[in-house]
Amino acid sequence: GMKHAVRVMIPSQHGSIVAMASIYGCIGGVASQAYTSSKHNIVELVRNAVVELGPLRIRVNIVSPYE
């Protein structure tokens, strides 16, 4: 997903990536450990991508019902 899109966006120095999250990525403890962990990882992946790709004018956003 994201790594393949970034390969195309880096040479053009612009783009936008939107990821889907879940409330369990922010609060946890309600769903299974595997599901909560995977959703939390998406949130952290987007945070990391914002820092790395922001200087390249590539926007990275997350859609979540919680935040």
Side-chain angles (χ1 to χ4, degrees):
M2 190 182 298
K3 71 178 180 179
H4 299 295
V6 169
R7 288 181 189 163
V8 175
M9 293 178 190
I10 287 176
S12 64
Q13 293 274 318
H14 72 280
S16 181
I17 298 170
V18 179
M20 299 294 293
S22 170
I23 192 169
Y24 301 117
C26 300
I27 60 171
V30 180
S32 71
Q33 291 177 350
Y35 183 80
T36 301
S37 175
S38 69
K39 293 304 173 183
H40 180 73
N41 287 335
I42 291 171
V43 173
E44 294 304 317
L45 174 70
V46 168
R47 286 182 182 168
N48 190 332
V50 165
V51 171
E52 289 186 19
L53 300 175
L56 300 174
R57 297 181 56 213
I58 299 173
R59 292 179 300 148
V60 185
N61 297 311
I62 193 163
V63 177
S64 173
Y66 186 69
E67 294 181 350

